Amino acid sequence: MKGFIFCLLFVSLTKTSFQKSTPQDSQYVAAAVEYIVSGDVDQNIRNYVRYIEEAAKQNADIIVFPELTLTNRSTSFVAPLHGILKQYPIPALHPNLYDNIMVSISAAARTNQIYVVVNGRELMDCTKNDTGEPCPELKEYIFNTNVVFDRNGAVIDRYRKINLFGESSHTPALTPDLGYFETDFGVKFSHFICFDLMFQVPAVQSVQKLKVTDVLFTTMWFSELPYLTAVQIQEAYAYEMNINFIAAGANNVRIGSAGSGIYSGRAGALVSIMPGVPTTRLLVSRVPKIPGQISGQYPGPIYDNPSDHDNLKLITDPSLVSHVSKLLVPGFQEFTLTDKDVSCTFRVRLNYGTGETHYKYRAVAFSGVRSFSGAATGGNRVCGIVACTGETLDTCGKRFDKYNSTSFGNFEELEILGTMPTSITDAALSAENSVVYPVSVKSSLMPLEPTTYTFNKVVNTQITLYDYALSVHEVELYSFALWGRVFATDGDEATPPFNSSNTLGPVRLNHLILLTGLFLFKKYLI
């Protein structure tokens, strides 16, 4: 192992020359790695170095690796950003001060002249006096941490995960510090980790307070039907926040982890992948510095055979049984569902599948609090159409064991018009207190491409009107929905299953008046 490190150090002293983006360029080149989970740390280091080299050969300016695919349960690294890294910021040049992981990644970044973002288990040992930061207790802390290296191999930023997802061996960040750094090609980045995507801090605050247009994401996502499969929510987040989003996902289909991509605002995926079989893959794309303003050719989504996803474990949103819902019938139907402060009007023309077993579809509305697999609870607002394996609500958000194209219905027309309370900026956080994403997922477990739907909203003082419509047919859908987070009720008790009290509430008339206004407004949209 030492010979491997010294070899890297020797090479790092004579840097390789690669084409770099500059502040004057209208775009840069980003790379994200979908990486199979392995407990072999030495092999992970070698693989990481190889992908760093390959990304550099493709002129990538920055490469992002997934969450917790570098270390294993018994290993960690030390990243004393406020300690010795202030004096000796390049681990590759001071191998006696740092562990193998930090030295190896630093050397690879330096050799290949590329920004590198890795994630792993970080140790802060408060029984020693050199941490450089406050220690609440004299003990060892293990954090889930991103570390950023610049082109010289220097550590320039560190971010500790704030919102843990059932990670009993990790401690959440002691202070909710945002990840942030600037690059020599004129782009400022924020970055965070996996479950953080679901929360105001850091997912919304990073963009709105720091005013960045580019965000990096390390993740080991557990895909959940019908609203939160990995690429589905990655693309929806980039779309609604109107940012460039570089997401690197851990790959372990046995437990439901897969999905990576590079997205640019309302242009959607520049490149993305949602494998149903074990996969390690380097994704590289040019990224416009103004999100969504793409030109020329991009790789685009990489679609697997839908039957491959028979192997991918999927969980189901536990709040579905608390949704107000209505079973869709064949033909045209128009109706409204209301739950508390959410009102949803549906216009649907549906032909059901012809297979021996086929999905039924339900329209749903929800305003309440959901559980995230027991890890936390959070406020949620929904207007959507979801596929079900049977006619009852408890069969929704599930997939038949075997893919069959004849199982899906055909939506000749599908439009959702929803009204939800208008988001308000939390002055203390410089971030909005709610957000609504247009989400969808097809049989490939990938979202609809932005050219196949329209999404508009009209913001009023108290109520925002949303119009989300499908503009293509012959698409195999698991879901199509307005999916919102309400941060003020995070931590509250989850809403109980649907009962007779979940009826059309007293706000319905006002909501219907507003929806009528939105229908009229649509006539003037171009």
Side-chain angles (χ1 to χ4, degrees):
M1 182 65 189
K2 287 185 178 179
F4 170 68
I5 293 174
F6 289 140
C7 179
L8 283 174
L9 289 176
F10 175 77
V11 174
S12 74
L13 296 177
T14 55
K15 303 175 190 175
T16 306
S17 177
F18 296 102
Q19 182 177 337
K20 304 174 187 176
S21 299
T22 70
Q24 291 73 39
D25 290 330
S26 62
Q27 58 190 12
Y28 63 95
V29 181
V33 181
E34 173 94 6
Y35 189 84
I36 293 176
V37 177
S38 167
D40 187 336
V41 176
D42 288 348
Q43 185 61 53
N44 290 337
I45 293 172
R46 288 190 288 271
N47 290 341
Y48 271 43
V49 170
R50 180 163 57 88
Y51 283 110
I52 290 169
E53 292 171 348
E54 180 57 35
K57 288 177 182 177
Q58 297 186 48
N59 295 318
D61 296 289
I62 188 165
I63 183 171
V64 183
F65 289 90
E67 179 186 22
L68 298 176
T69 55
L70 179 56
T71 55
N72 60 27
R73 294 181 181 179
S74 60
T75 62
S76 59
F77 54 76
V78 177
L81 192 67
H82 305 290
I84 60 172
L85 277 168
K86 294 177 68 175
Q87 186 175 359
Y88 306 106
I90 305 177
L93 300 184
H94 303 279
N96 58 314
L97 297 179
Y98 299 97
D99 54 65
N100 294 341
I101 291 173
M102 293 288 284
V103 172
S104 299
I105 301 301
S106 171
R110 183 176 176 84
T111 301
N112 294 282
Q113 289 288 281
I114 185 173
Y115 288 84
V116 179
V117 182
V118 299
N119 173 279
R121 287 162 47 88
E122 178 216 353
L123 170 66
M124 183 173 78
D125 189 350
C126 287
T127 65
K128 300 178 180 178
N129 297 320
D130 60 355
T131 63
E133 54 192 299
C135 286
E137 299 180 54
L138 293 178
K139 66 177 187 178
E140 292 185 348
Y141 291 88
I142 297 290
F143 301 102
N144 183 335
T145 301
N146 286 346
V147 178
V148 182
F149 299 82
D150 70 7
R151 295 191 200 270
N152 292 316
V155 175
I156 58 172
D157 198 43
R158 182 195 70 192
Y159 169 80
R160 291 167 173 168
K161 190 175 183 180
I162 297 170
N163 305 283
L164 301 183
F165 188 82
E167 302 165 51
S168 59
S169 64
H170 298 157
T171 298
L174 300 177
T175 56
D177 299 323
L178 300 178
Y180 174 82
F181 63 97
E182 301 182 16
T183 64
D184 62 6
F185 51 95
V187 175
K188 301 174 182 179
F189 287 95
S190 185
H191 58 110
F192 50 81
I193 305 164
C194 203
F195 196 35
D196 285 330
L197 183 62
M198 290 290 95
F199 295 91
Q200 183 181 27
V201 179
V204 178
Q205 189 186 42
S206 288
V207 175
Q208 296 179 347
K209 181 177 182 178
L210 299 180
K211 300 188 185 306
V212 298
T213 56
D214 296 73
V215 176
L216 310 174
F217 185 55
T218 62
T219 182
M220 183 182 287
W221 198 260
F222 297 91
S223 282
E224 177 189 277
L225 284 174
Y227 314 119
L228 292 178
T229 56
V231 174
Q232 173 188 24
I233 192 60
Q234 291 169 15
E235 186 163 322
Y237 173 77
Y239 184 101
E240 177 56 22
M241 303 303 287
N242 196 27
I243 57 165
N244 295 319
F245 193 50
I246 295 92
N251 186 274
N252 187 348
V253 298
R254 181 178 57 84
I255 63 171
S257 294
S260 304
I262 301 173
Y263 314 89
S264 188
R266 289 170 174 78
L270 305 178
V271 60
S272 59
I273 187 170
M274 186 70 188
V277 294
T279 302
T280 293
R281 185 155 183 167
L282 175 68
L283 306 178
V284 181
S285 178
R286 294 176 295 111
V287 181
K289 289 183 178 178
I290 300 177
Q293 293 194 9
I294 63 173
S295 60
Q297 296 297 311
Y298 289 84
I302 300 167
Y303 291 102
D304 282 11
N305 189 317
S307 61
D308 287 348
H309 294 102
D310 294 345
N311 307 298
L312 180 65
K313 179 179 174 61
L314 297 169
I315 57 178
T316 300
D317 181 347
S319 73
L320 279 174
V321 292
S322 304
H323 288 27
V324 176
S325 74
K326 176 181 174 64
L327 184 67
L328 298 183
V329 297
F332 179 77
Q333 52 227 283
E334 181 176 340
F335 56 89
T336 298
L337 298 177
T338 300
D339 188 15
K340 306 180 186 69
D341 55 3
V342 170
S343 186
C344 318
T345 293
F346 300 88
R347 286 180 169 178
V348 181
R349 192 179 303 276
L350 168 67
N351 295 318
Y352 268 119
T354 58
E356 190 171 315
T357 58
H358 61 266
Y359 291 103
K360 299 291 186 179
Y361 290 89
R362 279 188 172 269
V364 296
F366 181 65
S367 178
V369 178
R370 59 154 294 169
S371 169
F372 291 102
S373 297
T377 62
N380 201 193
R381 295 185 181 120
V382 182
C383 290
I385 299 289
V386 298
C388 313
T389 56
E391 294 193 352
T392 57
L393 188 56
D394 60 352
T395 66
C396 298
K398 295 180 171 64
R399 183 181 182 276
F400 288 125
D401 291 338
K402 299 294 182 182
Y403 166 77
N404 189 328
S405 62
T406 62
S407 297
F408 294 87
N410 176 34
F411 288 91
E412 295 180 4
E413 183 177 352
L414 175 54
E415 182 175 20
I416 301 173
L417 294 108
T419 68
M420 301 181 187
T422 296
S423 182
I424 299 171
T425 298
D426 184 325
L429 297 175
S430 299
E432 293 184 359
N433 66 356
S434 64
V435 63
V436 175
Y437 302 113
V439 300
S440 62
V441 66
K442 302 182 291 187
S443 59
S444 58
L445 292 184
M446 297 280 264
L448 290 163
E449 296 179 31
T451 55
T452 64
Y453 64 83
T454 59
F455 176 69
N456 296 292
K457 61 182 177 181
V458 181
V459 181
N460 295 309
T461 304
Q462 294 183 319
I463 296 293
T464 296
L465 314 167
Y466 299 91
D467 181 4
Y468 188 30
L470 186 66
S471 54
V472 297
H473 309 305
E474 303 295 334
V475 60
E476 301 172 355
L477 281 177
Y478 287 123
S479 67
F480 186 85
L482 302 168
W483 190 85
R485 281 283 283 116
V486 185
F487 305 114
T489 53
D490 286 1
D492 289 358
E493 186 176 347
T495 302
F498 178 83
N499 57 56
S500 59
S501 66
N502 296 92
T503 57
L504 303 184
V507 298
R508 182 184 179 192
L509 179 60
N510 290 335
H511 280 242
L512 289 177
I513 292 171
L514 288 167
L515 282 168
T516 302
L518 182 54
F519 277 125
L520 294 174
F521 174 81
K522 280 187 61 191
K523 294 181 180 180
Y524 300 98
L525 292 176
I526 297 175

